[in-house]
Amino acid sequence: MLGAEEAALVRGVWQKVESAKDEMGEETLTRMFLVYPKTKTYFPHFDLHHGSEQIRNHGKKVVTALGNAIQNLDNLRQTLADLSNLHAYNLRVDPVNFKLLAQCFQVVLAVHLGQEYTPEVHVAFDKFLTAVAAVLAEKYR
């Protein structure tokens, strides 16, 4: 998955994300709902307006889960097992949405990090988020 240098980049960037994770989670979900409106179908009970408390809270959950995955890069399958089961068996979320969310998170990272979002950081996070999406989608097979 990630080489040692890439893992170090992801962990280093994550320290910057921690201070703004609530905001970044909300921005990621808001962006996903705007750019990929079909993703809204999995949130019929949510107030999907900009600034919604429900979007803010769910965004916080998403980013917290990513942080947990970063702390456990060597054991993503076990770390994300409960989320994988929840999304596959209970929520029945289309696994394509994990990739769409990852793309939106990459954009939010780039906006927040600016010059610090180097091509190397982009590649490292892309590999990480691709691995997370793959693990979350495993139960669908």
Side-chain angles (χ1 to χ4, degrees), residues 8-27:
L9 277 174
V10 168
R11 286 184 177 114
V13 166
W14 197 256
Q15 291 175 347
K16 296 172 181 155
V17 169
E18 281 289 330
S19 64
K21 74 178 182 180
D22 295 355
E23 177 184 348
M24 292 176 78
E26 179 183 359
E27 285 178 37

Side-chain angles (χ1 to χ4, degrees), residues 1 11 61-87 128 131-132 135-136 138-139:
M1 180 181 92
R11 286 184 177 114
K61 287 179 187 178
V62 168
V63 177
T64 298
L66 289 175
N68 191 31
I70 288 171
Q71 291 174 357
N72 297 284
L73 284 174
D74 296 330
N75 199 5
L76 283 181
R77 235 175 229 105
Q78 185 175 356
T79 300
L80 298 172
D82 289 343
L83 281 177
S84 181
N85 287 332
L86 174 68
H87 285 84
F128 164 67
V132 167
V135 168
L136 290 176
E138 280 180 345
K139 303 292 182 182

Side-chain angles (χ1 to χ4, degrees), residues 55-125:
I55 291 176
R56 187 175 309 114
N57 288 338
H58 194 69
K60 183 178 180 178
K61 287 179 187 178
V62 168
V63 177
T64 298
L66 289 175
N68 191 31
I70 288 171
Q71 291 174 357
N72 297 284
L73 284 174
D74 296 330
N75 199 5
L76 283 181
R77 235 175 229 105
Q78 185 175 356
T79 300
L80 298 172
D82 289 343
L83 281 177
S84 181
N85 287 332
L86 174 68
H87 285 84
Y89 301 128
N90 295 32
L91 303 174
R92 295 191 166 100
V93 173
D94 183 345
V96 169
N97 289 342
F98 305 135
K99 294 177 184 178
L100 301 178
L101 182 70
Q103 290 172 357
C104 292
F105 188 67
Q106 290 268 40
V107 172
V108 171
L109 278 175
V111 168
H112 279 262
L113 296 175
Q115 297 285 332
E116 294 177 81
Y117 192 72
T118 64
E120 295 80 13
V121 170
H122 182 124
V123 168
F125 257 93

